[in-house]
Amino acid sequence: MTWASIATDNGAWVRRFHPAPEATTRLVCFPHAGGSASYYFPVSRTLSPEIDVLAIQYPGRQDRRAEPCVPDLRTLADLVVQRLAPWLDRPLALFGHSMGATLAFEVAVRLERSGTVPLSLFASGRRAPSRHRTETVHLLDDDGLIANVKRLSGTATQILDDDEVLRMVLPSIRSDYRAAETYRYQPVPRLHCPVVVLTGDQDPQVTLDEAEAWANHTTGTFELTRFSGGHFFLNNHAHRVTKELRDHLTDR
């Protein structure tokens, strides 16, 4: 199976846990490295029916684990944009955490290039695309990769202690890390949509300066909100995060 063939697999990419056909806006959510669409089930449950929430399911995990992972963010963005085409019948915003924020940015670039300006781009737990760090976690052995994931608390540690489950999820985690770490920003016109950045004040992956640099990627408004906590601050601030999403998307 190739990346081209999985792009035509209807229904596999976009998950709509709580359909909200009467909602005037949509929110498309992009998981972090090693994450899956189900991570956003609580967000969907909370925001529905005011907002129609879609979550992207990357290949290589959960019910798509038999499909090849896509270890390149630009290729992944191209594939996602194809699958979002049927969902552009109403205004939509993009939310991504960590690797998902960079992917959401690349999707926003492609959408604007084709004439669709998102309502907002919400970038959570990720430095601006133009701020590069040399990272090689994806080259570590299995023990090193697992230790890094546990340090960031992005995947439940009990899952990583289950050998059978570990064999299933580790390839997708490594592939996603490779995609995030080998990504190199290529200068493009600034986005026109507003950019809202969410960041943890103790996140080892994002400094305040790296978070503020998102302002250089838009001609629209820019906002930054800091939360207490590390890389997965949003796990402890779910209510505040979903309230911020709702306030931005319904106050129009």
Side-chain angles (χ1 to χ4, degrees):
M1 185 178 292
T2 66
W3 296 341
S5 65
I6 62 178
T8 62
D9 187 4
N10 292 327
W13 288 84
V14 180
R15 305 299 163 93
R16 195 183 188 204
F17 299 118
H18 305 91
E22 303 303 318
T24 58
T25 60
R26 284 200 170 102
L27 177 67
V28 184
C29 298
F30 298 82
H32 53 279
S36 61
S38 59
Y39 182 76
Y40 291 108
F41 184 92
V43 175
S44 174
R45 180 180 55 205
T46 300
L47 295 180
S48 180
E50 295 174 276
I51 299 167
D52 194 25
V53 178
L54 309 178
I56 301 300
Q57 182 79 319
Y58 310 142
R61 67 217 63 216
Q62 292 186 333
D63 58 329
R64 303 191 69 186
R65 64 181 178 273
E67 302 175 39
C69 296
V70 183
D72 178 81
L73 285 187
R74 287 190 175 81
T75 300
L76 190 55
D78 290 339
L79 294 171
V80 169
V81 168
Q82 292 179 41
R83 303 319 309 154
L84 286 180
W87 301 96
L88 302 181
D89 59 320
R90 69 189 71 176
L92 83 170
L94 309 175
F95 178 96
H97 181 72
S98 195
M99 180 194 81
T102 306
L103 178 59
F105 167 77
E106 287 290 335
V107 169
V109 168
R110 286 155 176 74
L111 289 177
E112 291 204 0
R113 189 180 294 152
S114 64
T116 298
V117 178
L119 291 173
S120 295
L121 168 62
F122 297 94
S124 170
R126 187 66 173 170
R127 58 187 176 273
S130 54
R131 292 301 183 94
H132 172 67
R133 290 189 188 187
T134 299
E135 297 173 315
T136 57
V137 175
H138 72 284
L139 297 177
L140 297 175
D141 61 15
D142 288 352
D143 288 342
L145 181 59
I146 292 168
N148 184 272
V149 172
K150 288 183 176 181
R151 179 176 64 86
L152 294 178
S153 301
T155 302
T157 56
Q158 62 267 28
I159 292 178
L160 298 179
D161 290 334
D162 186 316
D163 288 342
E164 183 177 354
V165 175
L166 180 58
R167 284 194 294 271
M168 292 191 294
V169 302
L170 202 57
S172 64
I173 293 175
R174 186 179 298 282
S175 178
D176 288 353
Y177 267 68
R178 175 184 170 190
E181 293 179 344
T182 60
Y183 172 82
R184 298 294 182 270
Y185 172 70
Q186 296 177 0
V188 292
R190 291 187 179 193
L191 297 173
H192 297 293
C193 67
V195 172
V196 180
V197 172
L198 314 176
T199 187
D201 62 5
Q202 300 175 53
D203 187 350
Q205 301 294 102
V206 187
T207 67
L208 180 59
D209 179 67
E210 289 172 329
E212 290 175 336
W214 277 97
N216 299 323
H217 291 282
T218 183
T219 61
T221 59
F222 172 77
E223 297 180 38
L224 186 149
T225 302
R226 298 188 81 191
F227 296 81
S228 61
H231 190 58
F232 278 87
F233 65 88
L234 68 175
N235 289 345
N236 296 322
H237 297 283
H239 177 74
R240 280 187 61 197
V241 171
T242 53
K243 182 180 185 303
E244 182 152 344
L245 293 173
R246 178 184 284 111
D247 290 347
H248 275 89
L249 297 177
T250 58
D251 185 21
R252 295 182 177 275

